[in-house]
Amino acid sequence: MAGEWKFVVSANPDCCDTGLSAFIMDISSAKFECSAPDLDSCPDEALPEFAFIGRSNVGKSSLLNVLAGKDGLARVSPTPGFTKMINIFTMNKTWRLVDLPGYGFASGARKDSAKFNQAVVNYLKHRTNLCSVFALIESALPPQDIDLEFVEWLTRNAVPYVIVFTKADKVTPAEAQANMAAFMERIAGWFEVSPKTFTCSATTGNGRAELLGVIDELMKAIAAEAEAKPPAPPEVTPFRSVNQLARHNRKRRPDMNRPW
């Protein structure tokens, strides 16, 4: 671990600016969009995305179902590393929840593991409408090297994220607090401002409102930023006739579904 780094980690990147306004806390619709094997297979970047990822068996799928208020949205399996695709869901028709493959999963061929891990890397580094990553860490365990390495990678690559400690109900509050404090102590030297942290339990539902509140806060910031931006000047293109202008417009890629 490179303890000499100093980063400012923000959960509000400039990648997303839109006039969308959403009521995040009340999820009225959750639609499965696709399972993408790579970045190129993901849907267009018309909506802000919030991605969830963690070590295999961290309880990610169960947590996503609790957040959405819909059992079976993300498939829960007793087999570690069951999620191997980038699974994308549209929530309230205004934002997307992204279920990323867990890192370090034990099932499947090693070549498949490498393939999907690379897909995650490409998504996290190059998805322009990714607004924040929710990095899931199991609070029932002491700091795990694989989690520390992943958070270090997020920090080094300036990927915006918050830390979510899962399974808070699996151990005593004192043990969970000790594990969380130990984890934060291990990463404390990497930042000027530490990332936001949250605790949750998919069993009890604790933490759901706080995590949805993070998304709500970011969506409001996105809308405010979009409203503050001056309108773009009209495109000036020399055309000798109305027909030429019409042909030009038909050839342009329609951008009606992308609000920023």
Side-chain angles (χ1 to χ4, degrees), residues 56-151:
S56 298
N57 204 34
V58 75
K60 173 169 56 70
S61 296
S62 297
L63 174 61
L64 295 181
N65 291 334
V66 169
L67 289 177
K70 183 176 181 180
D71 291 339
L73 180 76
R75 185 172 177 183
V76 179
S77 171
T79 305
F82 183 80
T83 302
K84 296 184 180 181
M85 296 280 192
I86 299 173
N87 294 318
I88 300 176
F89 307 86
T90 297
M91 317 301 288
N92 287 352
K93 301 180 180 180
T94 55
W95 58 280
R96 295 190 185 124
L97 183 155
V98 181
D99 180 5
L100 293 175
Y103 48 83
F105 60 78
S107 300
R110 185 167 182 173
K111 63 179 181 180
D112 290 334
S113 173
K115 175 182 177 181
F116 287 107
N117 285 342
Q118 186 59 50
V120 170
V121 167
N122 291 339
Y123 175 88
L124 294 175
K125 292 180 70 173
H126 303 300
R127 187 68 166 168
T128 60
N129 58 327
L130 172 63
C131 293
S132 185
V133 172
F134 291 72
L136 308 184
I137 309 296
E138 187 172 343
S139 65
L141 298 175
Q144 304 292 296
D145 287 343
I146 193 169
D147 291 328
L148 293 165
E149 290 168 5
F150 181 70
V151 171

Side-chain angles (χ1 to χ4, degrees), residues 14 16 27 70 82 206 254-255:
D14 294 331
C16 304
I27 296 179
K70 183 176 181 180
F82 183 80
N206 289 342
D255 207 24

